[in-house]
Amino acid sequence: MTRQRLIPLIVATALFMENMDSTVIATSLPAIAADIGTSPLTLKLAITSYLLSLAVFIPASGWTADRFGARIVFALAVSVFMVGSIGCAISGSVTDFVFARILQGMGGAMMTPVGRLVLLRTIDKSALVNAMTWVTVPALIGPVVGPPLGGFITTYLSWHWIFLINIPIGLVGIFMALKFIDPIRGETSERFDLKGLVLAGVGLAGIAFGLSVAGLNLLPWSVVAALVGIGSISMTLYVFHSRRTGSPVLDFSMLRLATLRAALIGGFMFRLGIGALPFLLPLLMQVGFGLSPFQSGLVTFGSAVGAMGMKTLAARIIRTFGFRNMMTVNAVVSAFFLAACALFTATTPLLLILIVLVVGGFFRSLEFTAINTVAYAEVEPAQMSRATTLVSVNQQLAVSAGVAVGAASVESTLWLNHATELSATVFAPAFLVVAAISAASAYFFWQMPDDAGHEISGRQALAVSSRKGAAKTAELAASETTEEARDQRLG
């Protein structure tokens, strides 16, 4: 296996663990709650505490990787995540479980951005599209495989195995990382911005935590609003602080790069819409259509099939059409298939639902690959760690916002219809709302330069080759014209 494929797969093992773990636990929450003697509602603290831990520690990932080396930090992050997984498996109370999830969050906060940093510092930019494709597919499969796998393990084995299956995957990832990833460190040794970490951590934690619990009836709306408000104030204070320090944990000055700005703003809107899908679709299948968790998980697996079908074509499609053109059009196409879910009813054939999810999964995965790649098109090597931190924070907030918007749309429909119980009809407006938000991302992708990411996609080389071909054709045509004129004079 070539290095361009091996390194992405090593990074993908960590992303797969993290993404699958986050979705598996949602399926098995009732069984875990019953076993440790608490209610599923109380145990939702395990999910929110994990998100809280992610939000707090992600900003520190870039500096840590530069200071100690991305390879060792990545391996240690996987180790911490594994220890947290073991802690979850042996938990006997809510307190134990929440602390174990916080530990998992600390590991996850480092795994994702540092893993992406390993990729960027190891793989040549010309091979980055293919590399991101190999990373994206497992990351997309995790949330889709999670529900049926969690349902199967909880039903036929024991919920403890949900967390223990991370151990062999993590051990393989650590071994491969230490063996094949070069020990590359950052070029500068800047002072750690502790004040910035506190402000950004409180800000991101308040916003992410508040958005995550919004619509779940876990906390009163006044508390949710206070969390988001405190988080927003703290983030505002951080923005002023970041302008006065030379090494901010979140460097917003990088937004001057057109491709990174489009990937962050447009990517946030696209992810917000798509991020609501894993929340809305299983509810529609189970509550609206009466399917079991295992059955609904098998249906939604179609998205992963589409994602896997994309991996061999992504680089060719991007090289042919360019990042700007492809991302603009594909954002609208992806949103169309997301909106199509609003037409699903209890009488819709499952085969038709599966086709929509497979085709939609193809286009969504293509867009994710492009967003994750073009973000680094203009980033200098010395700034890669800061860029990966920004991208990871952006992704985390987008997913939390997607769940919040999806939940708020369903709650609003219930209120407008004066209904008290969920039914299949209340989900349609939510799908249309999040689809519209995803489609709006096309505007920001269109704002990129026409040649955005040509160096990465290979389109620049294709254009040069075309120009050379055109020049050669013109030269031959001129030669033929000269020969014809000479023949006419001789005649």
Side-chain angles (χ1 to χ4, degrees):
M1 185 176 291
T2 63
R3 188 178 184 82
Q4 281 76 13
R5 189 169 295 179
L6 182 62
I7 300 299
L9 287 178
I10 295 172
V11 174
T13 58
L15 302 185
F16 177 79
M17 275 196 329
E18 183 182 0
N19 282 280
M20 186 178 70
D21 189 88
S22 298
T23 50
V24 163
I25 188 176
T27 306
S28 308
L29 216 56
I32 300 173
D35 195 41
I36 63 177
T38 187
S39 68
L41 187 63
T42 303
L43 205 59
K44 283 187 181 293
L45 285 171
I47 296 178
T48 51
S49 62
Y50 178 82
L51 295 173
L52 193 67
S53 183
L54 277 179
V56 170
F57 290 102
I58 280 179
S61 60
W63 180 88
T64 307
D66 282 344
R67 177 67 178 82
F68 300 103
R71 181 180 71 171
I72 190 65
V73 172
F74 179 75
L76 286 174
V78 176
S79 302
V80 171
F81 190 85
M82 288 168 52
V83 172
S85 298
I86 295 173
C88 290
I90 63 175
S91 294
S93 67
V94 177
T95 303
D96 295 342
F97 199 77
V98 168
F99 274 115
R101 289 291 287 172
I102 290 174
L103 192 60
Q104 273 192 313
M106 292 174 62
M110 294 289 172
M111 281 198 308
T112 302
V114 175
R116 191 175 288 113
L117 183 60
V118 166
L119 200 67
L120 293 167
R121 287 182 172 171
T122 308
I123 304 298
D124 187 77
K125 277 193 173 184
S126 60
L128 199 54
V129 174
N130 280 323
M132 282 295 184
T133 302
W134 284 93
V135 168
T136 302
V137 171
L140 286 172
I141 291 175
V144 183
V145 173
L149 181 62
F152 178 83
I153 292 176
T154 305
T155 304
Y156 299 106
L157 297 173
S158 168
W159 65 265
H160 303 82
W161 288 102
I162 288 173
F163 302 100
L164 294 178
I165 58 175
N166 288 331
I167 307 308
I169 299 174
L171 289 174
V172 171
I174 292 171
F175 171 78
M176 299 291 282
L178 295 177
K179 183 175 178 63
F180 294 104
I181 295 176
D182 296 329
I184 303 173
R185 295 193 181 190
E187 298 177 2
T188 59
S189 54
E190 299 170 330
R191 290 185 60 187
F192 183 63
D193 182 19
L194 182 59
K195 182 179 179 181
L197 177 66
V198 173
L199 289 173
V202 171
L204 292 171
I207 295 172
F209 186 79
L211 292 176
S212 299
V213 298
L216 298 179
N217 296 321
L218 183 62
L219 294 173
W221 277 104
S222 57
V223 177
V224 173
L227 285 169
V228 176
I230 292 172
S232 301
I233 293 171
S234 185
M235 280 305 298
T236 303
L237 293 175
Y238 171 77
V239 171
F240 288 112
H241 164 77
S242 66
R243 294 173 178 174
R244 299 192 301 267
T245 182
S247 55
V249 289
L250 294 176
D251 190 358
F252 293 121
S253 67
M254 297 190 69
L255 290 174
R256 68 182 184 277
L257 303 177
T259 49
L260 181 59
R261 184 172 61 251
L264 290 176
I265 301 175
F268 180 89
M269 298 182 68
F270 183 80
R271 280 193 176 89
L272 187 151
I274 303 303
L277 185 62
F279 168 75
L280 293 172
L281 198 57
L283 279 179
L284 174 63
M285 294 291 170
Q286 296 176 38
V287 178
F289 300 165
L291 299 180
S292 69
F294 185 57
Q295 290 172 322
S296 70
L298 290 177
V299 173
T300 56
F301 184 74
S303 297
V305 175
M308 288 186 287
M310 176 278 308
K311 73 177 183 181
T312 57
L313 300 174
R316 191 177 306 171
I317 293 172
I318 294 173
R319 183 169 59 250
T320 302
F321 298 102
F323 277 104
R324 188 184 74 162
N325 297 333
M326 191 283 295
M327 292 172 71
T328 302
V329 175
N330 193 57
V332 178
V333 174
S334 299
F336 169 80
F337 282 98
L338 181 57
C341 296
L343 301 176
F344 294 162
T345 65
T347 58
T348 305
L350 287 180
L351 179 60
L352 179 59
I353 294 176
L354 194 61
I355 291 173
V356 171
L357 294 178
V358 168
V359 179
F362 174 91
F363 290 108
R364 287 191 294 273
S365 184
L366 177 61
E367 192 77 2
F368 282 136
T369 298
I371 293 172
N372 291 336
T373 308
V374 79
Y376 308 102
E378 300 175 87
V379 179
E380 298 296 329
Q383 297 177 307
M384 282 297 184
S385 59
R386 295 185 180 185
T388 56
T389 302
L390 274 178
V391 170
S392 297
V393 167
N394 182 71
Q395 290 177 357
Q396 182 62 38
L397 290 177
V399 172
S400 298
V403 174
V405 171
S409 299
V410 172
E411 290 287 339
S412 299
T413 305
L414 282 173
W415 180 74
L416 291 172
N417 292 341
H418 304 288
T420 56
E421 294 185 359
L422 290 175
S423 62
T425 56
V426 303
F427 289 96
F431 281 114
L432 295 177
V433 168
V434 296
I437 295 173
S438 281
S441 66
Y443 170 79
F444 297 96
F445 298 139
W446 184 249
Q447 299 304 308
M448 291 191 296
D450 184 47
D451 60 348
H454 276 16
E455 180 186 352
I456 296 175
S457 66
R459 186 168 172 80
Q460 185 177 28
L462 191 65
V464 170
S465 177
S466 299
R467 286 197 296 270
K468 287 182 178 179
K472 185 68 175 177
T473 301
E475 183 182 337
L476 289 173
S479 177
E480 290 173 0
T481 302
T482 302
E483 293 292 337
E484 182 180 352
R486 184 183 300 121
D487 290 341
Q488 289 177 352
R489 285 198 304 272
L490 291 174

